[in-house]
Amino acid sequence: MILIGENINIMNKKIKFAMVERKKEIIQKIAIESKENGMNFLDINIGPARKDGPFLMEWIIKIIREVCDLPLSLDTTNIEAIKVGLEMEGERAMINSIQATEERMEELLPFVKKYNCKFIGLLLSKEGMPRDENERGAIAANFLAKIDEYGISHSLVYFDPIVLPVRFQQEQVVAVIEFMKMFKELFPDCNSTCGLSNVSNGALNELRGLINRTYLVMLWKYGLSSAIVDAYDKELIAIIKGEKENIKNLIWKAMDNEIDLKGLSEEERNYVKTVYILQGKSIYSDSYLKL
Ligand code: THG
């Protein structure tokens, strides 16, 4: 599993300050620590960056390259900023993301072809958010037809089914799992990814890590090939690196079997209860662990 660190992200106040005021040390520290913690990519989320996008992208890449050699995922809807990033990074860059609309695909796929770079194919069409796993499959199939028109290798695409918060959109959390169950059969040569922390947005802070980790391990069972994750969640990284086989095996078992909670430790019980929430078997509430 390829781990993409999410922490250089303009939605965070401190990072926004560092980007606006060009305080390079704050961003460099996160880049260094993300690599130390085991990230394989860094997501550079500068938001829509309407005015300053290309300059901001150029500055960030330059200061990250002073201290860190991880490949970058260029996370912005500003096409000019993406182009600057591609010019600097070439084929080791990843575009985050290309939306599944004619306009965006036709604008950006030529750059994928030119630089032979990876890209995230966001399963968001002109009709808006997909409503279930079948709409996700249809949008991805349409995207792939476009990719073939341009003669782009399927190995460069990372489809993102769009993860939504379990607190507000529990049925969409289930739909993404259902989509991943079909993925390998429908798109055998393509990769997959997701913005994992979206799933716990709006949930209690003390639940967020647990929800994120459980969901990642569930999607992993169906072959999820990468994810944008919190580079400071040491527990999550340990599970993915194979250092917590007991937790991984418990989550995978709980997905297919009724588990007797009585014989489990509190930590194990919490993971199993979270599986049931993310499968839609129990309804999410902030107090679900206590029930
Ligand atoms: N798909 C793709 N790219 C994406 C997303 C996606 N990029 C952005 C986002 N979604 C993934 N990145 C994050 C980064 C942070 C958080 C969620 C997703 C987050 N942060 C906490 C918050 O804002 O409350 C904590 C911030 C902090 O540390 O203070 O939730 O879906 N292709």
Side-chain angles (χ1 to χ4, degrees), residues 26-255:
I26 297 173
I27 292 168
Q28 287 176 327
K29 181 166 184 280
I30 295 176
I32 293 166
E33 290 171 349
S34 297
K35 178 166 179 181
E36 282 170 0
N37 291 354
M39 294 299 111
N40 309 109
F41 269 79
L42 292 177
D43 189 62
I44 306 303
N45 182 346
I46 63 169
R50 281 194 194 85
K51 292 192 195 111
D52 188 34
F55 294 105
L56 181 55
M57 185 64 85
E58 184 183 5
W59 176 77
I60 293 213
I61 293 176
K62 186 174 138 284
I63 61 132
I64 289 174
R65 286 288 166 253
E66 290 172 10
V67 297
C68 179
D69 60 3
L70 286 181
L72 306 177
S73 146
L74 310 173
D75 190 351
T76 175
T77 45
N78 183 322
I79 292 193
E80 296 309 315
I82 298 249
K83 287 182 194 168
V84 166
L86 292 174
E87 195 60 51
M88 295 172 76
E89 291 288 305
E91 75 165 8
R92 67 176 170 162
M94 176 186 271
I95 299 175
N96 184 8
S97 53
I98 305 180
Q99 274 188 36
T101 61
E102 291 293 313
E103 191 194 346
R104 285 268 144 173
M105 292 188 290
E106 281 171 11
E107 224 165 344
L108 281 164
L109 287 177
F111 287 91
V112 173
K113 185 80 183 162
K114 177 176 174 191
Y115 291 99
N116 200 37
C117 63
K118 303 174 180 64
F119 68 100
I120 295 178
L122 196 67
L123 299 185
L124 184 64
S125 71
K126 67 175 191 304
E127 275 94 42
M129 295 296 293
R131 282 169 293 192
D132 60 22
E133 61 274 20
N134 296 318
E135 288 194 3
R136 285 173 169 83
I139 297 170
N142 183 52
F143 207 136
L144 205 55
K146 209 71 188 170
I147 290 166
D148 287 341
E149 267 179 45
Y150 284 88
I152 290 166
S153 164
H154 293 190
S155 66
L156 294 175
V157 59
Y158 288 70
F159 280 127
D160 180 341
I162 309 185
V163 167
L164 293 166
V166 66
R167 167 97 198 256
F168 308 111
Q169 304 257 15
Q170 195 172 357
E171 67 294 337
Q172 292 303 319
V173 169
V174 178
V176 167
I177 296 174
E178 294 302 313
F179 174 71
M180 284 310 302
K181 279 189 197 171
M182 315 188 282
F183 191 88
K184 270 289 150 223
E185 203 167 322
L186 289 176
F187 311 109
D189 307 320
C190 301
N191 307 285
S192 49
T193 196
C194 71
L196 181 69
S197 302
N198 299 356
V199 74
S200 64
N201 259 317
L204 294 182
N205 262 333
E206 59 264 35
L207 297 176
R208 289 199 66 176
L210 175 69
I211 294 171
N212 293 344
R213 293 190 289 272
T214 308
Y215 200 45
L216 185 60
V217 173
M218 291 171 77
L219 297 175
W220 192 23
K221 183 164 191 266
Y222 303 119
L224 184 76
S225 41
S226 74
I228 305 169
V229 304
D230 179 2
Y232 293 90
D233 188 340
K234 295 265 173 73
E235 182 81 8
L236 177 141
I237 295 157
I239 296 172
I240 295 300
K241 305 275 174 197
E243 293 157 20
K244 296 256 170 181
E245 290 291 297
N246 58 329
I247 299 295
K248 186 197 82 177
N249 290 334
L250 177 67
I251 292 171
W252 285 6
K253 189 168 165 208
M255 290 168 72

